[in-house]
Amino acid sequence: MASQAFDMEIFFKALADRTRLRLLNLMREDEVCVCFFVEVLKTNQPKISRHLAYLRKAGIVAARREGKWMHYRIVTPSHPHAERVMKEVMTWLSEDRETQRDRERLIKVCCSPQPPLQIQGAPRPASLST
Amino acid sequence: MASQAFDMEIFFKALADRTRLRLLNLMREDEVCVCFFVEVLKTNQPKISRHLAYLRKAGIVAARREGKWMHYRIVTPSHPHAERVMKEVMTWLSEDRETQRDRERLIKVCCSPQPPLQIQGAPRPASLST
DNA sequence: AGATCATATTCGCTTTGACGAATACAGATG
DNA sequence: CATCTGTATTCGTCAAAGCGAATATGATCT
């Protein structure tokens, strides 16, 4: 039975960190390149990479390479209950103040005519590419 | 807005532990006395009390004193998303192998004509009192 | 009051995980 | 090849949290 294959403890541990929740929020609609996470969360790159690795090991996100760039996206859990919890979490995040501001900043960074140095040339999230 | 009053990180940290999930599962239908948790999870009493305190501080359970005994029950979160996640978690637990076995053991311990010494005289969960 | 029972808390220890800084790796480019 | 750039990992440190054992607290009963 699918209920047995999925470790609830690992799943909730992955959700039990503010930085990881903010990362998931930024991936809500699309896969997103690591450099955008760094820019939007205004933190250092190793921290982002470590949290993404944590989420990846928990089976919650997947990575795709595109040249030098890595894109991360949310993986819909195969377990039905986990899937519903994830869906609820994503809605929850869409109504949270801080994560709303994060998304505004993502849009700003992506669509600005003069993007930050770190970002120039990076592949934009599909839904935000102009 | 209610979304701001509830800390997602604290909420998920509370769910991110196997022992706490097992405790919540035992409280699924009723409030339950501490001594039953100890008996069913076959562990020491301080461990149970510490995890219950953790859940209480996270606002997920509440305690009621009845003489020497303490009963714990699940508190429905005031936050709508938290409430839906909790509901999903409870269903999830009802389909999980280990937690199913826990409930079977709870019933056995409660309804046995010859209950373990630790339990004799303890107030039974309402739904299981014979 | 003293004894007993159920539960809570503290203590000392160990593990986990978060962090910044430094370093390693992988792909692109010259 | 060397170099640069984006990302991943390692290192050392620190705080959080898990644990068993011991102890404290609070209620009941004699």
Side-chain angles (χ1 to χ4, degrees), chain A residues 67-81:
Chain A
K68 314 185 273 193
W69 293 280
M70 290 291 278
H71 300 262
Y72 282 81
R73 67 179 179 282
I74 294 174
V75 173
T76 303
S78 56
H79 190 293
H81 292 296

Side-chain angles (χ1 to χ4, degrees), chain A:
Chain A
M1 189 199 279
S3 315
Q4 309 319 126
F6 203 95
D7 188 321
M8 292 180 76
E9 185 175 353
I10 291 174
F11 178 65
F12 285 118
K13 273 194 204 306
L15 297 179
D17 179 275
R18 189 72 202 167
T19 302
R20 289 195 287 270
L21 289 171
R22 293 175 72 191
L23 289 172
L24 289 174
N25 173 60
L26 291 177
M27 291 180 253
R28 216 162 56 205
E29 312 209 334
D30 285 310
E31 60 177 15
V32 173
C33 177
V34 171
C35 55
F36 288 107
F37 295 131
V38 175
E39 189 61 28
V40 170
L41 300 199
K42 291 193 207 305
T43 184
N44 56 44
Q45 173 268 318
K47 175 172 169 179
I48 299 294
S49 275
R50 268 184 271 120
H51 281 294
L52 288 170
Y54 195 113
L55 288 170
R56 192 162 27 79
K57 281 168 195 160
I60 291 183
V61 305
R64 180 179 69 85
R65 181 176 283 285
E66 180 183 345
K68 314 185 273 193
W69 293 280
M70 290 291 278
H71 300 262
Y72 282 81
R73 67 179 179 282
I74 294 174
V75 173
T76 303
S78 56
H79 190 293
H81 292 296
E83 180 182 354
R84 283 194 283 272
V85 170
M86 270 302 291
K87 201 176 167 197
E88 195 62 41
V89 168
M90 297 319 286
T91 317
W92 192 345
L93 287 169
S94 75
E95 295 172 11
D96 173 270
R97 275 273 173 74
E98 183 184 31
T99 47
Q100 279 177 348
R101 278 195 298 264
D102 283 347
R103 284 200 69 86
E104 287 165 18
R105 198 150 55 240
L106 177 64
I107 291 166
K108 202 170 178 178
V109 164
C110 282
C111 304
S112 162
Q114 195 67 28
L117 275 177
Q118 314 286 355
I119 297 303
Q120 293 176 15
R124 263 112 191 103
S127 66
L128 298 176
S129 60
T130 42

Side-chain angles (χ1 to χ4, degrees), chain B residues 6-25:
Chain B
F6 203 96
D7 188 322
M8 291 180 76
E9 185 175 352
I10 291 175
F11 177 65
F12 285 119
K13 271 193 204 309
L15 298 179
D17 179 275
R18 190 72 202 166
T19 301
R20 290 196 287 271
L21 289 171
R22 293 175 72 190
L23 290 171
L24 289 173
N25 172 60

Side-chain angles (χ1 to χ4, degrees), chain B residues 63-114:
Chain B
R64 179 179 70 84
R65 181 175 282 285
E66 181 183 344
K68 313 185 275 191
W69 294 280
M70 291 291 280
H71 299 262
Y72 282 82
R73 67 178 178 282
I74 295 174
V75 173
T76 303
S78 57
H79 189 294
H81 292 296
E83 180 182 353
R84 283 195 283 272
V85 170
M86 270 302 292
K87 200 175 167 200
E88 194 63 41
V89 168
M90 297 319 286
T91 316
W92 191 344
L93 286 169
S94 75
E95 295 173 12
D96 173 89
R97 274 272 173 76
E98 183 185 30
T99 46
Q100 279 177 349
R101 277 196 298 264
D102 284 347
R103 284 199 69 86
E104 287 165 17
R105 198 148 56 239
L106 176 63
I107 291 166
K108 200 169 178 178
V109 164
C110 281
C111 305
S112 162
Q114 195 66 27

